[in-house]
Amino acid sequence: MTDDGQGRGTPAAAPTLHDVAREAGVSIATASRALNGSARNVRAENVSRVRAAAAKLNYEPHLSAQAIARGSTRTAALVVSDIADPYFSSIAAGVTLAADAAGLIVTVAVADRSPARELEIVRTLRGQRPRAVIVAGTRIAGAATREALIEELEAYRTAGGRVVLVSQHDLPFPTVTVDNAGGAHRLARALTGAGYRRFAVLRAPDRVRTSHDRCAGFAAGLAEAGVALDQADVFETEFTRAGGYDAARRLARRGLRGVELVFAVNDVMAIGAMTALRDEGLVPGRDIAIAGFDDIAPALDVAPALTSVSVPLEEAGLTAMRLALSGDPGPAVTTVPATVVLRDSTPPR
């Protein structure tokens, strides 16, 4: 009790997990693990300090942690970078299929390709107590929020929740990942095998890991075939359809200068590029070839049909949710294959 200044006692604020962690001199994630009966990665002396601090402060674990541990919530959460991108809607389809089979409802939150927004969403989700959290989207190299995101996800997991990523294996959680570099390498070899020798690449900024890996794999495949990629033919843009349109327009207005084929590091960029090339008076597949990556459904609907690297995105989402609900952490990384599909947008030369 505390005095309110008029001689009346008022209840003191209930201690929080943050208070316990501060009293014990440990992180919130460590305090959470120690109090929820998980000795994993917690030294015995830290467990003792945390429990002593909790007893001193009369701390009672929040009921939400118990609800998660008991599996009493009937929801799962999916965090995606961009809901308008068919890449993520395909992953969401797989996540939802697995969740439905388990009797769970999926809520979807959109981070808009922002690490800060992604962190904010995860913090909010912890309070909503979903059974599992799936985070899908490329990791951003050098993101200032990385350590805070790890701590939030770790605290959620040690309270009984399940965490799986569909991304690069950049965070210490089970991850379903796409063979981005390998798929792009195989695409480069297939295209050089079809007779192409001069390439332009439309890519996102280097900090976007998916783009970086695909660009690096493609360049390595070209080099293996004895073809050099001129950096003057590499166009940096946004990782979107509009970005692909902008970069292809810049290429066309600069002049092709012998470029025979444009590789865009994802299909939505490639489809945007096809529109830009047409707007500049060029016919994709005839005047210049074009290829993408992901093999989203619209790749078959454009004319000419788009050469791409096929990724079983729905299967990736399905696998991620099944891993989350299995209770078995399984391997740190589960890789889904990436297979080259040659179509009319890259006719043999």
Side-chain angles (χ1 to χ4, degrees), residues 45-86:
E45 59 268 31
N46 283 343
V47 173
S48 297
R49 286 162 57 189
V50 170
R51 291 177 179 172
K56 176 181 177 181
L57 298 174
N58 294 317
Y59 171 76
E60 292 291 337
H62 197 284
L63 291 178
S64 65
Q66 305 302 325
I68 296 172
R70 289 194 306 269
S72 59
T73 60
R74 305 305 302 169
T75 63
L78 171 64
V79 184
V80 298
S81 294
D82 180 0
I83 198 62
D85 189 333

Side-chain angles (χ1 to χ4, degrees), residues 132-159:
V133 172
I134 310 296
V135 181
T138 186
R139 306 318 305 162
I140 305 297
T145 57
R146 182 179 183 274
E147 294 306 317
L149 180 63
I150 291 173
E151 184 165 300
E152 289 290 336
L153 289 172
E154 182 63 36
Y156 164 76
R157 183 170 67 173
T158 56

